[in-house]
Amino acid sequence: MFCYQCEQTDRTNGQPGCASAKGNCGKDATTADLQDLLVHALRGIGQYGALVRALGEPDREADRFILFGLFTTLTNVNFNAGRFTAMLREAAITRDRVRARCEELAQARGMSIEQLSGPAAWQPAGSLPELLAQASTVGIQEGLEQVGEDVIGLRALVLYGLKGVAAYAHHARVLDYESEEVYAGVEGTLEFLARNPTDVNALLAQALELGRLNLKVMELLDAANTGRFGTPQPTPVRVTPVAGKAILVSGHDLGDLHALLEATKGTGIQVYTHGEMLPAHGYPMLNAYDHLAGNYGGAWQDQQSDFTKFPGPILMTSNCIVEPLPMYRQRIFTTGPVGWSGVRHLADHDFTTLIQAARALPGFRETAPVETITVGFGHDAVLGVADKVIDAVKAGKIQHFFLIGGCDGAAPGRNYYTEFAQQAPDNTVVMTLGCNKYRFNRHAFGDIDGIPRLLDIGQCNDSYSAIKIATALAGAFGCGVNDLPLSLVISWFEQKAAAVLLTLLALGIRNIRLGPTLPAFLTPNALGILVQQFGIQPIGDARTDLAVALAPRAA
């Protein structure tokens, strides 16, 4: 195996990358290689998908399969090699169906179509050893000796950005929100990658085009979430348990949470959110369920401790699963794209066994004293008081805005975000999104003339809300976003974060501080281009970086 798609990447060797029997995320070599092969197969579907789309009959089922397949290859989503073997067979069947439709359409119109090669011609081997042999020729470093590490790194940037786009689009799709423009963009990117591009400028242009596509995807997902569950509203969330049977839900998928709330209505079972599910409490239709009891635990990397202590079953709905410990392996369930060998997987929102487990387990014995944190500051909530915010800025009461968000993780250096947020002066406002918020969301920030100093905007995909807020403020002050008293301090971890970063760059947002480490797949040359064009810089010392952000700007 070789993998360097996330911030967990092994950096102890000369060349960064996980290349042993098991990656730092816990992914074994077999699963890693099958994931590489699945990406190769999906490129082939994309090749024929783009062609059949050009003939006027896009294949929506193939597009849905592409989104799901790419999602399963994200960091900390699916570790089940058997599931990948099955998806490889399904990928070949899907590709062949789309190819046959291309040929049928062309023949009906008296046309001939090109017989595509590369991924479009791939056929799955008959056994696991043979599949792994096929995978050895299609990994992320394919062609390294011929094209060099800069090209390989930029291809990786495009692929990993595409994985993030696909994950967000899948979240929208399962809520019945889809877009032919998005599907066309995903197919086009797969077709682009299938050609093994070597031009650095073309790769950078494709990366920025993906960023623009991801903005549309995040807008689609925002419409899906608010269309189904209402517009987020500032809402206090209990972070201490109440007595009774309990289920814990982690991940990102609000549709799964809603289905579980419906299934457990009237059972007496309390449902708690974990990790990136925390913002669910801000949606009126979800918060209306009395048995949505609160949030339990912290960010994803704390789950082994959190899940061990939780006295009920756990449902993982998307990334970010880590290897289940023996103490809770028999009471954790997966759904959607998530998988772990030996862990029970629930399909079609059939939560029967999960509910049975909740009834059999003890639940919380006692109700703890009430403690709350507040979520739900989406773009509608913030822009609803925009006049107060603008007046506070003009009066000098708000000096600066910080967006401190992104993914959390276990790597050293992430205390930087805690220090940065807590040291931000009292006349500044901190906006946050993603699970990075757990680094500081229990700190007492107070308010400025009734405006909370900490605004929890939501999940990582709610970067869309942050963009809308920043754009609206720029419009109100008659300036560009880069001219606002606004600093972006971002923690990245996996491929959704890569997609969001590409969106910010595509919008021309400059001087983003990124950490705790820079992506291993970006070579010094590629990083130099991003520094030159966009001013990307690594995080440093929190106090020093804060002082730089607050320093008067040159006229």
Side-chain angles (χ1 to χ4, degrees):
M1 69 175 284
F2 179 84
C3 183
Y4 58 0
Q5 70 177 5
C6 76
E7 200 265 334
Q8 295 172 102
T9 295
D10 186 357
R11 299 169 190 263
T12 60
N13 300 315
Q15 180 186 17
C18 296
S20 61
K22 180 178 285 190
N24 286 343
C25 67
K27 179 171 60 180
D28 63 49
T30 295
T31 302
D33 289 347
L34 292 175
Q35 287 184 0
D36 286 345
L37 194 56
L38 178 59
V39 170
H40 182 72
L42 295 173
R43 288 192 186 107
I45 300 175
Q47 286 177 278
Y48 275 111
L51 190 54
V52 79
R53 181 175 295 276
L55 292 170
E57 290 199 17
D59 190 314
R60 178 159 287 196
E61 287 306 313
D63 290 324
R64 290 170 174 170
F65 179 76
I66 287 172
L67 296 185
F68 182 83
L70 285 171
F71 197 168
T72 63
T73 70
L74 264 72
T75 301
N76 292 89
V77 174
N78 198 313
F79 296 78
N80 190 325
R83 294 265 298 277
F84 284 105
T85 301
M87 277 190 284
L88 285 168
R89 312 288 180 209
E90 186 176 354
I93 292 169
T94 301
R95 188 270 324 279
D96 289 347
R97 187 191 73 242
V98 180
R99 179 177 59 195
R101 185 57 180 155
C102 282
E103 293 169 348
E104 180 183 337
L105 289 170
Q107 184 177 12
R109 299 173 190 184
M111 302 167 53
S112 61
I113 62 168
E114 176 188 1
Q115 290 299 309
L116 301 178
S117 59
W122 172 81
Q123 292 295 336
S127 67
L128 179 59
E130 291 172 317
L131 285 172
L132 297 177
Q134 289 181 322
S136 67
T137 65
V138 299
I140 193 66
Q141 292 190 303
E142 178 187 0
L144 174 62
E145 294 181 358
Q146 290 74 38
V147 301
E149 61 180 8
D150 292 339
V151 168
I152 294 298
L154 288 172
R155 286 180 187 171
L157 176 62
V158 173
L159 173 60
Y160 299 154
L162 178 63
K163 288 186 178 188
V165 168
Y168 287 143
H170 175 78
H171 283 309
R173 203 283 295 172
V174 296
L175 294 176
D176 299 322
Y177 280 68
E178 300 176 85
S179 162
E180 289 302 328
E181 182 181 6
V182 170
Y183 285 140
V186 171
E187 289 173 354
T189 305
L190 287 169
E191 193 274 334
F192 172 81
L193 289 170
R195 289 186 268 119
N196 291 323
T198 59
D199 183 85
V200 168
N201 291 327
L203 284 159
L204 283 170
Q206 185 67 39
L208 295 179
E209 183 60 32
L210 261 181
R212 287 184 281 272
L213 180 67
N214 189 57
L215 180 61
K216 295 170 184 171
V217 171
M218 290 193 297
E219 181 180 16
L220 184 71
L221 181 52
D222 179 76
N225 287 336
T226 57
R228 287 286 298 275
F229 308 119
T231 300
Q233 301 172 358
T235 304
V237 180
R238 185 181 182 122
V239 293
T240 51
V242 296
K245 305 291 186 178
I247 295 174
L248 187 62
V249 186
S250 193
H252 301 74
D253 200 295
L254 300 183
D256 289 335
L257 175 61
H258 179 253
L260 179 62
L261 289 169
E262 273 293 303
T264 51
K265 188 166 55 176
T267 64
I269 298 170
Q270 307 287 342
V271 176
Y272 295 82
T273 57
H274 177 270
E276 278 272 61
M277 275 294 188
L278 169 61
H281 295 266
Y283 289 89
M285 285 186 62
L286 297 175
N287 195 50
Y289 288 90
D290 291 339
H291 62 300
L292 182 60
N295 191 74
Y296 180 89
W300 70 272
Q301 77 277 0
D302 297 327
Q303 69 184 251
Q304 289 183 324
S305 172
D306 292 341
F307 292 178
T308 296
K309 296 173 185 175
F310 189 78
I314 304 108
L315 179 67
M316 288 296 304
T317 68
S318 67
N319 48 322
C320 311
I321 190 172
V322 299
E323 182 170 5
L325 297 178
M327 289 81 82
Y328 62 85
R329 186 180 289 263
Q330 297 305 311
R331 54 184 174 87
I332 185 171
F333 299 78
T334 62
T335 192
V338 192
W340 195 285
S341 181
V343 168
R344 286 171 288 184
H345 187 78
L346 307 179
D348 303 321
H349 289 158
D350 182 354
F351 299 122
T352 304
T353 55
L354 177 69
I355 293 170
Q356 289 172 346
R359 286 174 169 146
L361 290 163
F364 289 103
R365 305 287 189 188
E366 299 178 349
T367 297
V370 176
E371 296 178 29
T372 64
I373 54 179
T374 302
V375 302
F377 293 98
H379 55 87
D380 285 296
V382 175
L383 295 180
V385 294
D387 54 341
K388 292 181 62 177
V389 174
I390 292 165
D391 289 344
V393 173
K394 289 180 177 179
K397 295 179 179 179
I398 296 179
Q399 178 189 7
H400 206 87
F401 297 89
F402 294 102
L403 176 61
I404 308 174
C407 317
D408 204 2
R414 289 184 177 269
N415 285 339
Y416 167 94
Y417 299 96
T418 308
E419 295 166 7
F420 196 108
Q422 294 182 359
Q423 292 174 14
D426 290 345
N427 61 353
T428 63
V429 172
V430 174
M431 298 184 291
T432 189
L433 49 83
C435 58
N436 172 273
K437 65 172 67 90
Y438 284 103
R439 291 279 167 176
F440 48 81
N441 66 350
R442 295 202 186 193
H443 179 71
F445 285 89
D447 65 87
I448 300 173
D449 283 357
I451 301 167
R453 286 193 55 235
L454 179 65
L455 302 176
D456 186 343
I457 296 173
Q459 295 182 337
C460 55
N461 57 280
D462 289 311
S463 300
Y464 175 73
S465 274
I467 291 167
K468 288 207 68 170
I469 293 167
T471 303
L473 289 175
F477 288 109
C479 64
V481 171
N482 290 317
D483 300 314
L484 287 171
L486 169 67
S487 300
L488 277 68
V489 186
I490 305 299
S491 60
W492 84 284
F493 185 79
E494 41 78 275
Q495 297 76 64
K496 287 180 176 177
V500 171
L501 177 62
L502 291 179
T503 296
L504 296 175
L505 299 184
L507 290 170
I509 295 176
R510 295 182 53 82
N511 302 320
I512 299 169
R513 288 196 180 274
L514 186 65
T517 60
L518 295 177
F521 52 83
L522 287 180
T523 63
N525 289 336
L527 182 60
I529 294 171
L530 297 181
V531 170
Q532 179 182 7
Q533 293 189 14
F534 303 103
I536 282 183
Q537 50 196 312
I539 62 172
D541 170 74
R543 189 176 297 277
T544 301
D545 289 351
L546 190 58
V548 170
L550 294 173
R553 300 187 183 186

